[in-house]
Amino acid sequence: MPLLLALLLAALSVLVSAPRAAAHAQLLESSPAADSVVAESPTSITLTFDSAVQAGYTTIVVAGTDGTSYSDGAPTATDREVRQKVGRLPKGLVQVTWRAVAADGAPLQGRFSFTNDDQTAPTQPPPRPSASAPASGAPSAAAGADAGDSADWVWWAAAGGLSVVAAAAVTVLVRRSDTRSRG
């Protein structure tokens, strides 16, 4: 019976001390869409999130295959939508790399690409070799969106440690109680 009580209290302490699941903002869509082909050069890139982001902490870099940035000024944010004006984009693959901070303070980042097939667009220079280029595969629009979850293990470790301490304390108290009642 005392062991059952100790286990029950330990389980209860884990439930009480467990962190709440925090759903951070996520990228819902982009315009142009990731991996799309556009027939007309866009004048801006729009990112739409499932919740608000902090305007002052958002960056969007729109670059050609040679690494030239075509971003024009700072992005503007309205609640869940962020817009980045761009200069005249070249024909071919265009890479969009973004970073934002959710309203809850969680950092977000990702990248995606689309193809500009505007026949009137200037031709891009050939790609420059880059040590930071991804090895293979298309980047995801939501890559790194869960970067803010990296500290969750601390809460779980603390909850587990607290549970062990609580179980040990209850066990000691129950054994002392049993020893006193027998003696």
Side-chain angles (χ1 to χ4, degrees):
M1 180 70 167
L3 181 60
L4 181 60
L5 179 62
L7 291 174
L8 183 62
L9 287 173
L12 181 61
S13 72
V14 168
L15 292 176
V16 169
S17 64
R20 291 187 182 127
H24 302 298
Q26 293 183 359
L27 182 64
L28 291 179
E29 63 185 5
S30 65
S31 177
D35 301 321
S36 66
V37 176
V38 296
E40 191 173 312
S41 293
T43 57
S44 66
I45 305 298
T46 303
L47 306 178
T48 304
F49 295 89
D50 64 353
S51 61
V53 295
Q54 297 181 27
Y57 298 102
T58 301
T59 60
I60 301 174
V61 177
V62 182
T65 58
D66 67 341
T68 301
S69 175
Y70 293 92
S71 299
D72 183 11
T76 57
T78 308
D79 193 32
R80 302 178 320 127
E81 191 173 276
V82 180
R83 183 168 303 211
Q84 174 66 58
K85 290 182 181 179
V86 294
R88 180 112 166 102
L89 295 175
K91 185 173 180 175
L93 191 67
V94 177
Q95 180 83 29
V96 178
T97 305
W98 58 270
R99 293 179 190 265
V101 175
D104 67 359
L108 313 166
Q109 63 183 4
R111 68 178 133 187
F112 63 93
S113 58
F114 65 92
T115 301
N116 182 13
D117 198 28
D118 187 335
Q119 298 304 312
T120 64
T123 305
Q124 291 191 64
R128 291 185 296 203
S130 171
S132 63
S136 64
S140 166
D146 295 326
D149 294 337
S150 62
D152 284 350
W153 71 269
V154 173
W155 290 107
W156 285 108
L162 181 61
S163 298
V164 169
V165 170
V170 168
T171 302
V172 167
L173 290 174
V174 168
R175 289 196 177 174
R176 280 188 185 170
S177 170
D178 284 349
T179 303
R180 287 183 186 159
S181 64
R182 289 183 193 160

